[in-house]
Amino acid sequence: MLFFVSFSRAFAGEATVDDILKSLSNENNACQIQKGYASWYGLSDSLMQTANGNVYNSDEIFAASKTLPFGSKVLVKNLYNGKELFVKIVDRGPYVKGRILDLSRGAAKELGMINAGVVPIKIYTLGCEYALNKLKDMNFYSDSTVASTASNSTSQN
């Protein structure tokens, strides 16, 4: 099982799973599960300044949330096709009723939702056992080459 991850030093293969799990003791470990709809934003290869002040390429993996703190890492599950992806919260939004997450174009592509535009999702924070188990299953790379994209899970979580 492989995940596409490029949004932080720890998730880019420069840290081990144990390092990441230890760092969770410094974060809010409460499990939060949200269910709702996600949309995506950003034109291909466009640069955008996000609410946290950083500039990102829309083809990178990140997301916007109205409620989750900047820097939060969450597991997003597309409930239409079962694809999952870890994303980092770097922006605010969406501001459309019923939507709980706005994904970058890159994240939307990995989750298989570009054509649909809006899909039902479930979000797990890293304090959730389900997300931690997925994190433990991740493959880490010592170089910057990323081998694969979102996993396609068949479980009903």
Side-chain angles (χ1 to χ4, degrees):
M1 179 179 312
L2 300 172
F3 291 85
F4 179 87
V5 286
S6 65
F7 50 80
S8 74
R9 185 179 73 84
F11 286 98
E14 297 176 22
T16 66
V17 172
D18 288 336
D19 292 336
I20 294 169
L21 294 176
K22 285 178 192 173
S23 75
L24 291 177
S25 63
N26 298 328
E27 297 182 20
N28 179 0
N29 289 354
C31 176
Q32 295 181 41
I33 300 174
Q34 297 179 25
K35 196 172 182 180
Y37 289 89
S39 50
W40 64 272
Y41 66 117
L43 300 173
S44 182
D45 288 323
S46 65
L47 295 179
M48 47 198 318
Q49 184 167 5
T50 59
N52 75 354
N54 293 327
V55 176
Y56 292 89
N57 182 311
S58 62
D59 288 325
E60 292 181 52
I61 307 297
F62 60 90
S65 168
K66 291 180 283 193
T67 59
L68 295 168
F70 289 136
S72 297
K73 293 129 187 126
V74 296
L75 177 64
V76 180
K77 181 173 187 170
N78 179 336
L79 297 178
Y80 272 157
N81 62 19
K83 289 187 177 185
E84 298 173 319
L85 182 69
F86 281 94
V87 299
K88 183 177 180 181
I89 305 300
V90 300
D91 208 357
R92 289 291 173 235
Y95 297 104
V96 175
K97 186 177 180 181
R99 296 187 194 169
I100 61 171
L101 207 64
D102 240 347
L103 296 160
S104 65
R105 184 181 187 284
K109 184 176 178 183
E110 297 302 322
L111 288 169
M113 61 173 281
I114 291 287
N115 291 333
V118 177
V119 297
I121 61 163
K122 195 180 249 188
I123 301 170
Y124 302 86
T125 61
L126 290 183
C128 299
E129 185 176 348
Y130 182 74
L132 287 175
N133 288 336
K134 292 291 180 178
L135 184 63
K136 289 177 186 177
D137 289 342
M138 289 177 66
N139 290 322
F140 287 82
Y141 300 94
S142 58
D143 61 13
S144 60
T145 304
V146 180
S148 186
T149 59
S151 86
N152 191 358
S153 173
T154 57
S155 67
Q156 294 300 311
N157 290 315

